[in-house]
Amino acid sequence: MSRPAGRLTLILLLAPLLLWLTLLIVIPHAAMLFVSLRERVGVGEYAFGLGNYLTFLAEPLYWNTFVRTAWMSVLATALTLLIGFPVAWHIAKIARGRARQALFLACLAPFWASELVRTYGWMILLRESGVFSAVLQWAGLAEGPVEMLYNDVAIMVGLVYTSMLFMVVPLVTTLDSLDDSLIEAAYDLGASGWTILREIVIPHARPGIASGCIVVFMMSLGNYLTPILLGGKSSLWFTGLIYDQFITRFNWEQGAAFGFLLLGLSSAIVWAGLRLSGQSLRSAMARP
Amino acid sequence: MARSTLRAVAALAGAALALGAASASAETLRLLTWGGYAPDDVVAMFEKETGHKVEVTLSNNEEMIAKLRATGGGGFDLAQPSQDRIAGAQAEFGIYKPLDLSRIDAAQFIPSMLEATKRNTTVDGKVYGVPHVWGTSGLVVNKAKAPGVKDYLDLCDPALKGRVSYRLKRPTLIAFAFAMGEDPFAAYADPDAYKAILDKVEKKLVECKANVKTYWSGGDEILNLLRSGEVWAAMAWDTGGWKLNAENPDITFVAPASGALGWIDTFALPKRGRADDAAYAWINFVMRPEIAARITASAGNFTASKGADAFADPALKARFQASFPPEAIDNIKWYPPVPAGLEAMEGAVLDRVKAAQ
Amino acid sequence: MTDTPDLEAVRLTRRFQDFTAVDEVSFAAPPGSFFSILGPSGCGKTTLLRMIAGFLEPSSGALRIKGRDMVGVPPNRRPVAMVFQHLALFPMMDVGRNVGFGLRQRRVPSAEIERRVADALERVGLPGFERRRVDQLSGGQKQRVAIARAMVIEPALLLLDEPLGALDLKLREHMKVELKRLQETFGATFVYITHDQSEALVMSDQVAVMNRGRFEQIGPPQELYYNPRTAFVAGFVGDANRLRGKVLRREGDAVEVADPAGPPLRAAAASAGLAPGDEAELFVRPEAIRVSRQAEDVAGMDNVFACEVRDILFNGANSRINARVAGSAREFDVAAPQTGEFADLRRGERIHIGWNAAAARAFAAEPAEPGKAQAEEGAA
């Protein structure tokens, strides 16, 4: 029909998306940016400046917490990939019919409970008076109660458990699309299993690996409950700092600045990761 | 304990949605309070008697302030912050409106407590809070395993390595300051002096860290840790100690030698609350002695209601008396109002303690 | 042939649960030969090929390549290379890395890999294609890259799994000739499976016709065509008119078969046991039938019919006349002689056809053919 009518349709079709982007993403972020640039001078008095950002740079505690959070998130991502890959391989290439559905469901099952319940579940398992400790004592492998909670390993377990599905789903999708005859051809030409994995399977699955890793990394970095509840007395997590600034310190300005730093630094890490693995964000997102 | 930084944003959105509903006579009272302060039976009785509806949101001091700040004092019609946390928050964020004392039945309150609360919550000559529930924090101790714990510093006894828990929050700083012979309340007005005290406390808390199993953050969490025997001594609320005492006589609340810390939770009106009638009706309703006794039964703490003692559970009274001989009651350190900005200084200390190895 | 065969199978069998895909197959492919396995889909030929490649282990029987027992040897340790049905070129690598893949696995020095890859690409007619991406190639080029990739490792055997199936007709015709030429260039033994008889006939030195897990006949294409030993081979290889009837008489190799449409048909018996009273199946190739407008031209032949032209299927040199026997529903496909004599033949015209007994072969009729066997890929 006429061009103006076509454009109107387009605008109407785009309206929900634009509204969503504006109301829930652009405006809150703009407001946060504005807040983060305010410095508290005295009671109820504020001035514009970068002070809140400088605090982050000046205080090693904040820096260290960020580095620790990022490093543990990278580790959690790597572990999730390491555990998730064989699982995804099994689902995509080996399991058939019912077994395949059951496996998928098993990955999904943790998400029927809320994150809080899941985390408490791990606390029940890992705590000194918990299930694992009791089993170890019963089996004679431990003399007395064993505390497995309140340390970084417990955080890692919780993060990997929470992230597994988000790694497995994109991996299954890409591995599903890998033609079995490519693997057979490589095998036939004399390649070992390891070579096939390195030269055929991983290059093919790269977009899935990249999108899974991005999601898991961002989820781990932004996780709050798991590190706070499972982590030990010295365990700092960057989101915890943001929470403390907003809620217990009433320092929204600092909290907002931390929020923006988290956004910026995590984006930088994802970008660097993509560059290192020779991927672009577009190819990683094309086949989620 | 399910907190998230998104809470503030959610509160904002919730407030915007709630703007639609309001009526003149039968109002909906959106109550921002603590667990146990608005038990279901009391809410039902109130709704039946007045026709108002009550929506209860459970929270704590910090979250109450954060929520009200996020909405500029909207989203709730009645809040119950501790008396020491009103003046500072009001001066800085202006989130409350003054109380109309003529609409509150003063005769139902214990006079001394009412006067003290009014004094502590006065900003620019206007009163912002009246008392409701009071209690203390001190030590909850498993006497069978840690008989020697009498004061906060005893928590740092090497014999209790890995068997101690407390919160990483401001009451811990205050408690340790008193136990170290300082008077932090006297130093509230003098930032330098307060800083010096905090430095001492920080050093002590870092030293003491080896003893800590975990820093607890929720009431149920610390009760579980004590109940299971994983923690032998903790800094916690008196009610928690009495509750565990009922299950296991070895565990009870101990008023520390340097004094328990006394808190009073109040009633305060958020600035943009829209159901003042219902709010005043609720205050006068729950301060009735027989209702107040029900709240004591549910929360475990006593109230500022005059004559409610007569209705209170004798077992609870006995536990209270066992923990608080008369001299211990006199030794309770009541929180004075926190000056605005003090939390930032304390926060930095808490961060460093948490980060210390 | 005194040499050890490149490939030798002895009573090779593969069962899947309750279904036998390959049933006691024995054969030997001499060195340097082009050996085809021809059969309808579901006959077990892919299962057989996968056993040779090592992707499947036989349930019983022996398999030897260059005299070496292959049972239990994994695919990456067998001296065979395979060209897959859909070629299976690695899309993550360029042409050069595809072709060099097998050499890299064998730890050949990279300079030598480069030289051998260039040489292999040259031999398949794609010199200088090393840096091309796989998706930049045409169908025929991909085909040749796949062959180069397999041949560069100098396997004792090259296995080809219907590699022409995905190509268009013209290219397929061209690649048939090309493959035969490549096989001669490389001098390796090719084992080629197909369901397309013309591919098998054109390229092969030896063809094995496979049906329901068994080999029906092995031999050079001419032998299969002119001398089929079973009804299945006669029907499957080349075109044939099929007739059925009871055997009336047998004299030596000659039989007479009752025909409800006319006098008894005379044919050469191809099954030894064929005896009077048996149900027989007769096969007559279209080009073996003489056709004329005059009855006297065919009068001396063993079997003659007066027919009416129902249709003329013009296809250049392969043109056919579809003729219906007068006063009957029986139809024959007859090759149209290319002498120009019949260029003006019209539908409805009367013609006479005839053939001698030696041109028709009679087999003991098989029981009515059951539905197609299970898909041969069933458990692959």
Side-chain angles (χ1 to χ4, degrees):
Chain A
M1 292 271 249
S2 67
R3 279 180 59 93
R7 279 182 63 175
L8 185 68
T9 316
L10 186 69
I11 290 167
L12 283 175
L13 280 171
L14 282 177
L17 176 71
L18 288 174
L19 216 62
W20 182 70
L21 284 174
T22 321
L23 284 179
L24 293 173
I25 300 194
V26 177
I27 292 179
H29 277 82
M32 281 268 278
L33 184 65
F34 176 75
V35 170
S36 76
L37 290 170
R38 274 191 329 179
E39 281 177 63
R40 186 178 179 279
V41 183
V43 175
E45 281 178 71
Y46 298 95
F48 260 90
L50 289 170
N52 297 313
Y53 291 90
L54 294 176
T55 309
F56 175 79
L57 296 175
E59 175 60 63
L61 171 69
Y62 299 148
W63 247 118
N64 290 340
T65 303
F66 183 82
V67 170
R68 179 189 137 84
T69 308
W71 166 239
M72 298 232 344
S73 298
V74 168
L75 198 63
T77 307
L79 280 172
T80 312
L81 178 63
L82 230 54
I83 300 169
F85 201 92
V87 173
W89 179 263
H90 197 92
I91 293 176
K93 292 288 174 205
I94 298 169
R96 292 272 169 266
R98 221 168 251 199
R100 188 185 159 106
Q101 285 171 12
L103 278 169
F104 236 132
L105 222 58
C107 285
L108 195 68
F111 292 84
W112 285 334
S114 77
E115 194 189 358
L116 189 66
V117 173
R118 255 179 287 150
T119 310
Y120 276 131
W122 276 111
M123 291 178 79
I124 290 169
L125 291 176
L126 295 176
R127 66 187 300 170
E128 197 181 339
S129 58
V131 177
F132 288 169
S133 173
V135 168
L136 284 178
Q137 289 176 77
W138 173 80
L141 293 170
E143 301 259 314
V146 188
E147 178 66 279
M148 280 175 272
L149 197 60
Y150 308 126
N151 56 46
D152 288 353
V153 177
I155 298 185
M156 208 48 81
V157 168
L159 288 178
V160 169
Y161 179 74
T162 301
S163 309
M164 194 53 80
L165 180 75
F166 300 93
M167 183 63 84
V168 167
V169 168
L171 284 181
V172 167
T173 315
T174 45
L175 289 178
D176 245 346
S177 68
L178 173 62
D179 186 352
D180 287 351
S181 69
L182 292 187
I183 297 164
E184 286 182 347
Y187 198 24
D188 184 66
L189 289 168
S192 62
W194 173 245
T195 308
I196 294 172
L197 181 71
R198 208 182 59 233
E199 294 208 27
I200 311 292
V201 179
I202 290 179
H204 177 87
R206 203 172 266 153
I209 293 172
S211 57
C213 285
I214 290 175
V215 173
V216 170
F217 175 72
M218 291 304 228
M219 277 182 48
S220 300
L221 204 63
N223 201 319
Y224 176 79
L225 277 174
T226 304
I228 300 296
L229 290 177
L230 300 181
K233 53 195 177 186
S234 305
S235 145
L236 285 158
W237 206 256
F238 202 69
T239 48
L241 285 190
I242 297 178
Y243 175 87
D244 282 347
Q245 291 298 341
F246 268 96
I247 305 298
T248 60
R249 313 280 159 73
F250 314 124
N251 194 344
W252 287 19
E253 295 72 29
Q254 192 65 59
F258 282 178
F260 263 89
L261 285 164
L262 182 64
L263 185 70
L265 290 169
S266 56
S267 306
I269 290 171
V270 167
W271 179 81
L274 286 171
R275 284 303 292 267
L276 279 177
S277 64
Q279 294 276 296
S280 71
L281 190 62
R282 203 170 46 162
S283 72
M285 288 298 133
R287 223 180 329 177
Chain B
M1 288 122 276
R3 305 165 175 135
S4 95
T5 45
L6 289 177
R7 271 280 175 91
V9 178
L12 242 168
L17 290 172
L19 274 173
S23 76
S25 55
E27 296 177 324
T28 297
L29 176 67
R30 294 163 301 167
L31 181 61
L32 187 58
T33 187
W34 302 74
Y37 285 18
D40 290 344
D41 55 337
V42 172
V43 168
M45 287 161 75
F46 175 75
E47 287 180 343
K48 195 164 170 236
E49 184 175 312
T50 62
H52 297 308
K53 293 275 296 166
V54 181
E55 284 171 8
V56 176
T57 304
L58 300 184
S59 189
N60 60 42
N61 271 323
E62 288 84 7
E63 282 189 4
M64 278 184 207
I65 297 169
K67 276 182 182 167
L68 293 174
R69 183 185 173 191
T71 57
F76 296 94
D77 306 307
L78 186 60
Q80 298 211 261
S82 296
Q83 52 92 14
D84 57 311
R85 307 295 286 266
I86 292 181
Q90 176 60 18
E92 186 139 14
F93 311 124
I95 52 180
Y96 300 114
K97 58 183 161 196
L99 290 172
D100 180 354
L101 292 170
S102 67
R103 301 184 66 180
I104 293 170
D105 183 1
Q108 293 193 92
F109 289 82
I110 297 170
S112 61
M113 213 171 265
L114 178 62
E115 286 315 309
T117 304
K118 276 158 70 174
R119 200 167 51 244
N120 278 350
T121 60
T122 298
V123 177
D124 296 333
K126 297 190 184 83
V127 173
Y128 287 89
V130 290
H132 181 210
V133 176
W134 65 274
T136 66
S137 41
L139 297 164
V140 176
V141 180
N142 188 330
K143 297 258 188 200
K145 291 182 166 154
V149 176
K150 306 269 189 258
D151 201 355
Y152 300 115
L153 289 186
D154 295 335
L155 296 176
C156 304
D157 177 355
L160 299 181
K161 192 167 190 306
R163 296 293 163 198
V164 162
S165 185
Y166 41 80
R167 289 194 295 172
L168 210 50
K169 284 205 171 181
R170 67 182 310 270
T172 308
L173 300 177
I174 305 288
F176 272 73
F178 276 116
M180 293 171 84
E182 300 287 345
D183 185 351
F185 294 161
Y188 264 17
D190 178 354
D192 291 336
Y194 195 67
K195 178 84 173 51
I197 295 175
L198 285 181
D199 287 347
K200 272 179 77 179
V201 171
E202 178 182 338
K203 202 158 157 275
K204 187 76 199 168
L205 286 175
V206 169
E207 273 172 39
C208 200
K209 197 166 177 178
N211 269 23
V212 174
K213 180 168 200 78
T214 185
Y215 297 118
W216 63 270
S217 54
D220 289 336
E221 187 184 356
I222 186 58
L223 292 191
N224 275 329
L225 287 167
L226 284 159
R227 189 180 281 132
S228 65
E230 289 170 87
V231 161
W232 297 344
M235 179 179 169
W237 291 304
D238 46 16
T239 49
W242 296 329
K243 197 169 170 188
L244 289 173
N245 187 249
E247 301 168 14
N248 177 356
D250 284 343
I251 305 175
T252 193
F253 181 78
V254 172
S258 59
L261 296 173
W263 46 264
I264 303 173
D265 290 335
T266 66
F267 292 111
L269 293 176
K271 187 171 193 176
R272 288 169 49 219
R274 286 179 285 106
D276 289 355
D277 292 343
Y280 285 113
W282 175 263
I283 295 170
N284 290 323
F285 181 78
V286 299
M287 290 312 286
R288 291 180 197 166
E290 70 279 15
I291 305 293
R294 281 175 184 269
I295 289 174
T296 294
S298 134
N301 281 112
F302 296 97
T303 66
S305 165
K306 195 162 73 180
D309 268 9
F311 298 91
D313 173 17
L316 184 63
K317 276 199 268 191
R319 289 200 183 93
F320 177 82
Q321 279 152 11
S323 296
F324 283 104
E327 67 277 13
I329 294 183
D330 293 339
N331 197 22
I332 292 176
K333 305 287 193 288
W334 298 95
Y335 285 106
V338 185
L342 213 62
E343 280 101 341
M345 208 193 291
E346 294 163 349
V349 171
L350 296 173
D351 279 346
R352 286 195 291 273
V353 172
K354 172 105 188 190
Q357 289 303 315
Chain C
M1 296 245 179
T2 51
D3 293 346
T4 325
D6 270 359
L7 171 66
E8 192 183 5
V10 184
R11 301 166 65 102
L12 200 61
T13 301
R14 173 72 204 200
R15 280 181 286 270
F16 296 108
Q17 281 116 35
D18 53 345
F19 157 68
T20 305
V22 175
D23 191 2
E24 302 219 334
V25 163
S26 300
F27 67 94
S33 64
F34 197 120
F35 187 92
S36 289
I37 299 165
L38 171 67
S41 68
C43 71
K45 59 189 189 298
T46 295
T47 306
L48 177 56
L49 193 76
R50 292 176 67 80
M51 279 196 279
I52 300 170
F55 297 124
L56 283 174
E57 283 298 321
S59 306
S60 65
L63 181 71
R64 283 187 282 275
I65 294 173
K66 286 222 181 273
R68 253 181 69 209
D69 185 21
M70 280 296 134
V71 175
V73 178
N76 55 351
R77 306 212 173 279
R78 291 191 184 197
V80 299
M82 181 153 164
V83 175
F84 286 77
Q85 191 164 12
H86 300 290
L87 307 178
L89 295 178
F90 305 130
M92 57 288 281
M93 302 176 196
D94 60 20
V95 169
R97 287 183 58 77
N98 258 286
V99 176
F101 187 88
L103 295 176
R104 287 203 300 284
Q105 308 315 316
R106 285 160 180 75
R107 313 217 179 284
V108 174
S110 60
E112 196 190 332
I113 292 181
E114 212 167 299
R115 187 180 57 70
R116 282 169 70 177
V117 167
D119 181 52
L121 284 173
E122 178 117 31
R123 282 209 262 177
V124 296
L126 298 172
F129 271 56
E130 282 93 338
R131 296 282 82 81
R132 299 277 187 100
R133 288 211 323 269
V134 167
D135 55 16
Q136 290 173 320
L137 302 178
S138 71
Q141 288 172 333
K142 281 183 189 165
Q143 191 80 56
R144 284 181 281 182
V145 171
I147 291 165
R149 182 178 73 175
M151 290 314 301
V152 79
I153 58 174
E154 293 168 2
L157 270 187
L158 183 70
L159 310 176
L160 301 102
D161 181 5
E162 305 206 33
L164 304 186
L167 302 182
D168 64 57
L169 184 69
K170 192 118 192 175
L171 194 53
R172 195 153 65 216
E173 291 303 318
H174 173 73
M175 283 309 293
K176 278 184 207 167
V177 182
E178 183 97 2
L179 267 179
K180 180 68 188 160
R181 192 187 61 75
L182 284 170
Q183 191 254 337
E184 279 156 11
T185 318
F186 286 109
T189 303
F190 277 32
V191 176
Y192 186 98
I193 73 166
T194 182
H195 66 274
D196 183 319
Q197 45 142 323
S198 100
E199 286 176 18
L201 298 182
V202 168
M203 296 186 280
S204 313
D205 299 318
Q206 294 272 313
V207 179
V209 179
M210 195 171 183
N211 182 36
R212 286 192 250 163
R214 290 173 165 277
F215 276 4
E216 298 262 343
Q217 185 173 356
I218 308 175
Q222 294 82 353
E223 190 186 314
L224 294 177
Y225 190 84
Y226 293 114
N227 218 349
R229 282 211 298 271
T230 69
F232 178 82
V233 175
F236 194 75
V237 178
D239 295 327
N241 293 292
R242 229 179 242 245
L243 302 157
R244 224 181 149 95
K246 256 199 176 58
V247 176
L248 297 174
R249 261 172 359 109
R250 174 159 184 174
E251 275 173 26
D253 266 356
V255 286
E256 270 186 29
V257 174
D259 181 18
L265 298 165
R266 276 180 276 179
S271 304
L274 203 58
D278 288 351
E279 188 78 3
E281 219 172 348
L282 269 64
F283 292 86
V284 190
R285 298 212 181 275
E287 64 271 24
I289 300 175
R290 175 84 200 276
V291 55
S292 172
R293 282 184 165 116
Q294 281 84 41
E296 48 270 33
D297 283 351
V298 295
M301 302 189 119
D302 294 333
N303 305 285
V304 289
F305 288 99
C307 298
E308 176 187 310
V309 176
R310 251 194 97 232
D311 221 339
I312 298 157
L313 308 166
F314 181 75
N315 183 18
N318 284 322
S319 299
R320 294 280 164 83
I321 301 165
N322 185 251
R324 182 194 282 163
V325 176
S328 141
R330 172 168 299 161
E331 286 173 14
F332 285 97
D333 275 340
V334 184
Q338 296 301 304
T339 52
E341 193 189 335
F342 294 94
D344 57 347
L345 197 67
R346 290 285 166 269
R347 200 177 292 183
E349 238 178 277
R350 280 191 78 82
I351 50 169
H352 301 272
I353 61 171
W355 64 92
N356 281 324
R361 303 183 69 81
F363 296 90
E366 297 200 5
E369 202 168 316
K372 279 229 159 103
Q374 286 98 317
E376 62 185 6
E377 288 83 4

